Amino acid sequence: PSLTSLTAEVRPSGFLGQLGSLFTGGSGYAVGRPPVTALHHEIHTGHCWPFPGSQGQLGVALAAPVYITDVTIDHAPKEVVLDMRSAPRQMELWGLVEGQDNLAKLREWKLKRAAAREEAEERGEPIPPSLADEEPYPRTLPKHPEYVRVANFTYDIHAPEHIQTFPVREEIRDLGIDFGVVVLLVKSNWGKEFTCLYRLRVHGEPVGQVPLPYPEDEETPA
């Protein structure tokens, strides 16, 4: 909850709005579905988690630590949605780096990047995009423990598919860091005063080997 934005709510404005809510038996305002809705498989129209404005975030504790490979954003099909402006647009996925091995890998990666940038500058060469400075650290994330940007992508409401999958940054994947907590940062939407996140899915490879199931012809102990 501490890593997740507040849920959008609609309050009646003015005396007439408050008076109308009394006649309808309402409490005076409506609250959207809770954040856990964005982890549910249902994505029919309106079954989303809304948050106010065009910027927000969703913190998720994964079922188990994984080496993240892809991120999927689900949205209801545009053919059945009246207003697509509430769909998220530009997003980033940040992962919590924990454990001495993972922290050591992150420090070494940062040192190598800094050294490569310095060498390029000394030679008077342009700095490759892969070595460009990292995005500013989000103010909405704690600095200790540290998070690292795992992926950045744009959900396209004009694309033919309403379920879109995006790969993790190759350099992050090559680091071999496993993540147990991630935060999806929504940086913009398509023009609405609130944003609806239908579903976030994080794909990855488990840490270690998963035990194999019993063979079909083997009886399990009573």
Side-chain angles (χ1 to χ4, degrees), residues 115-128:
R117 283 198 302 267
E118 185 176 345
E119 291 178 2
E121 291 175 352
E122 290 177 353
R123 295 193 298 265
E125 300 175 352
I127 298 177

Side-chain angles (χ1 to χ4, degrees), residues 59-127:
V60 180
L62 304 179
V66 296
Y67 302 107
I68 301 176
T69 57
D70 302 276
V71 184
T72 295
I73 299 296
D74 297 24
H75 196 80
K78 57 186 176 184
E79 291 80 8
V80 299
V81 177
L82 294 177
D83 191 348
M84 289 290 289
R85 293 178 299 163
S86 63
R89 190 171 186 173
Q90 295 175 317
M91 287 170 276
E92 296 178 351
L93 187 76
W94 289 69
L96 171 63
V97 182
E98 49 188 345
Q100 294 302 318
D101 290 344
N102 288 331
L103 290 169
K105 292 176 183 177
L106 182 63
R107 285 194 297 267
E108 183 180 0
W109 174 67
K110 287 185 174 182
L111 289 173
K112 287 182 177 179
R113 285 171 57 86
R117 283 198 302 267
E118 185 176 345
E119 291 178 2
E121 291 175 352
E122 290 177 353
R123 295 193 298 265
E125 300 175 352
I127 298 177

Side-chain angles (χ1 to χ4, degrees), residues 2-200:
S2 63
L3 296 171
T4 299
S5 300
L6 297 176
T7 299
E9 57 183 41
V10 178
R11 296 181 179 273
S13 59
F15 174 75
L16 292 179
Q18 296 176 6
L19 186 63
S21 69
L22 295 178
F23 285 106
T24 59
S27 59
Y29 65 92
V31 180
R33 296 176 184 271
V36 71
T37 307
L39 304 180
H40 199 268
H41 67 276
E42 292 286 351
I43 59 170
H44 56 263
T45 306
H47 200 279
C48 64
W49 169 54
F51 58 84
S54 61
Q55 299 181 351
Q57 63 185 54
L58 176 67
V60 180
L62 304 179
V66 296
Y67 302 107
I68 301 176
T69 57
D70 302 276
V71 184
T72 295
I73 299 296
D74 297 24
H75 196 80
K78 57 186 176 184
E79 291 80 8
V80 299
V81 177
L82 294 177
D83 191 348
M84 289 290 289
R85 293 178 299 163
S86 63
R89 190 171 186 173
Q90 295 175 317
M91 287 170 276
E92 296 178 351
L93 187 76
W94 289 69
L96 171 63
V97 182
E98 49 188 345
Q100 294 302 318
D101 290 344
N102 288 331
L103 290 169
K105 292 176 183 177
L106 182 63
R107 285 194 297 267
E108 183 180 0
W109 174 67
K110 287 185 174 182
L111 289 173
K112 287 182 177 179
R113 285 171 57 86
R117 283 198 302 267
E118 185 176 345
E119 291 178 2
E121 291 175 352
E122 290 177 353
R123 295 193 298 265
E125 300 175 352
I127 298 177
S130 60
L131 295 177
D133 290 335
E134 287 289 292
E135 290 288 322
Y137 196 86
R139 291 180 296 174
T140 55
L141 293 181
K143 294 185 177 180
H144 303 286
E146 186 177 1
Y147 287 73
V148 65
R149 190 179 61 158
V150 177
N152 57 299
F153 47 90
T154 299
Y155 183 87
D156 185 4
I157 61 173
H158 303 293
E161 299 294 336
H162 63 281
I163 298 176
Q164 300 173 21
T165 298
F166 310 93
V168 163
R169 297 167 60 192
E170 185 176 354
E171 54 185 344
I172 295 297
R173 185 172 179 177
D174 291 344
L175 275 179
I177 293 179
D178 59 271
F179 299 96
V181 175
V182 297
V183 178
L184 177 70
L185 295 183
V186 179
K187 305 184 72 175
S188 65
N189 65 15
W190 287 87
K192 197 73 173 174
E193 64 273 10
F194 63 89
T195 304
C196 275
L197 182 62
Y198 275 79
R199 191 183 187 192
L200 162 69

